[in-house]
Each structure stands twice: as C-alpha cells, then as structure tokens.
C-alpha cells in the first residue's frame, strides 16, 4: 500500500546476512530537494514479540548524496541488526523466526500528497552499506501508472471495505 499524508505508516525488513550493528534509514525521492514532503515521528521498532515494542526515535537530516540527489537521513549506530533466520526451517518456523528478527520503521509522512508514490525508504546496515534494501510501492510494477492500475483493479472488487482506490489525477505519475 502507498503511504498517506498525515497517517501513521509502518514498514519492516528482515536481514538476510549475519548479525551486525548500526543502521541508517534514508528517505529518497523527488520531494526531498524542495522539501515538498517531510516525515515526523520516525522510529525503529524491534523485538515484535514484546508489548509494547521497544523503539529507537530517529531524527532525520537533509543530506546530499555523492551523485547529487537529496535524502532525509538518520543513523542509529548502536542498533543491533539480528542475523538472518536459519535456512531450511519448516515454513511455519521460518515465518516465526522472521517475525522475531524483523526491524520495523514507523513514520508519518506530511506534505505534498501528489508525491506520495515517490517515497522510497532505504534500510542501510552501516557496516555493510552494499547490503541495503529499499521499499518503493510501485517498483515491482515497473511504473507508477502500472502500479495504480493494478492496485485499483485488485481492490475494486472489495469496495467499500477494501483499500481505497487511487485517483490518478491526485498523483504525480511521471517516473
């Protein structure tokens, strides 16, 4: 699902490598350079079996990357990244282990709602930046237009109780 401006949003990632320390989070997209969208209440969550979950608040700062693009960036240098679950586990056990080891990111986006499909979030292990992963709602569909069409086709059968349909006129669809 795409994030919505002013509403709490949650993502999670599971490490596929070894145990490590230090995690950076970066928000990238066309909205950053001119501060068209921002993020508040940004925090890491972990140890999903505990209630309430432990959290690490993050303070984003605007940074320019080596290739000239802009990001909102934060580091948690002491954050412990759990190792990947063992391979070959039975499916139910594998799912339980992934849940135990997941790293969550909670945030509330604000600003230009037309740019919400531009939000890309990067989980970057500080000791192994090449091992980073990223989330962008439309990336697996090839284009924002293709994502919106598939989203609306999938959820139209579930109205009014399913996810809200997306209005192409309310979104910037240039890729």
């Amino acid at each position: 699902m795409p994030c919505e401006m002013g509403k709490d949003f949650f993502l999670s990632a599971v490490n596929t490598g070894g145990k490590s320390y230090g995690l950076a989070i970066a928000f990238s997209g066309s909205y950053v350079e001119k501060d068209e969208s921002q993020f508040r209440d940004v925090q890491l969550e972990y140890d999903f079996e505990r209630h309430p979950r432990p959290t690490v608040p993050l303070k984003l700062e605007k940074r320019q990357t080596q290739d000239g693009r802009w990001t909102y960036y934060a580091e948690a240098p002491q954050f412990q990244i759990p190792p990947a679950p063992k391979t070959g586990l039975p499916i139910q056990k594998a799912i339980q282990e992934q849940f135990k080891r997941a790293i969550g990111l909670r945030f509330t986006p604000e600003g230009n709602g037309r740019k919400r499909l531009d939000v890309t979030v990067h989980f970057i292990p500080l000791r192994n930046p090449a091992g980073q992963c990223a989330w962008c709602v439309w990336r697996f569909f090839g284009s924002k237009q293709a994502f919106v069409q598939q989203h609306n086709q999938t959820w139209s059968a579930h109205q009014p109780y399913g996810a809200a349909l997306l209005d192409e006129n309310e979104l910037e669809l240039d890729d």
Side-chain angles (χ1 to χ4, degrees), residues 7 10 17 23 31 34 37 41 65 75 77 87 117 119 156 158 167-168 171:
K7 292 190 178 181
F10 181 81
L23 183 67
Y31 56 88
K34 295 179 183 176
S37 296
D41 304 326
T65 63
E75 287 186 358
T87 58
L117 297 183
V119 174
S156 63
H158 303 286
D167 183 345
E168 293 180 10
L171 300 166

Side-chain angles (χ1 to χ4, degrees), residues 5 8-9 18 20 38 47-48 51 64 79 81 92 101 103 111 115 136 155-156 162:
M5 298 301 160
D8 180 69
F9 194 75
S20 189
Q38 301 82 33
D47 197 359
F48 289 5
H51 297 286
Q64 194 167 24
F79 186 80
I81 301 171
Q92 186 63 30
R101 298 162 192 252
I103 300 167
K115 300 256 185 189
C136 175
W155 289 103
S156 63

Side-chain angles (χ1 to χ4, degrees), residues 32-153:
V32 178
E33 184 174 359
K34 295 179 183 176
D35 297 316
E36 295 175 86
S37 296
Q38 301 82 33
F39 303 90
R40 66 176 165 83
D41 304 326
V42 181
Q43 64 185 22
L44 294 172
E45 296 183 7
Y46 60 98
D47 197 359
F48 289 5
E49 294 182 320
R50 285 180 50 193
H51 297 286
R53 294 176 184 164
T55 62
V56 177
L58 298 175
K59 181 170 174 45
L60 298 173
E61 63 181 51
K62 190 174 177 179
R63 283 192 180 179
Q64 194 167 24
T65 63
Q66 291 178 344
D67 64 3
R69 291 183 285 169
W70 290 93
T71 65
Y72 295 124
Y73 181 88
E75 287 186 358
Q78 303 304 317
F79 186 80
Q80 182 176 344
I81 301 171
K86 293 178 185 176
T87 58
L89 295 173
I91 190 74
Q92 186 63 30
K93 182 68 173 170
I95 291 169
Q96 289 171 345
E97 287 299 311
Q98 286 181 349
F99 181 76
K100 283 182 193 177
R101 298 162 192 252
I103 300 167
L105 179 68
R106 187 173 302 278
F107 58 91
T108 302
E110 295 182 326
N112 185 349
R114 292 184 57 79
K115 300 256 185 189
R116 66 191 183 118
L117 297 183
D118 291 352
V119 174
T120 299
V121 179
H122 308 262
F123 290 77
I124 308 165
L126 294 176
R127 293 188 179 181
N128 180 22
Q132 70 180 281
C133 68
W135 172 86
C136 175
V137 72
W138 61 266
R139 192 74 62 191
F140 289 113
F141 296 88
S143 72
K144 295 175 196 172
Q145 181 73 43
F147 166 75
V148 169
Q149 289 174 351
Q150 182 63 44
H151 174 90
N152 287 346
Q153 180 181 2

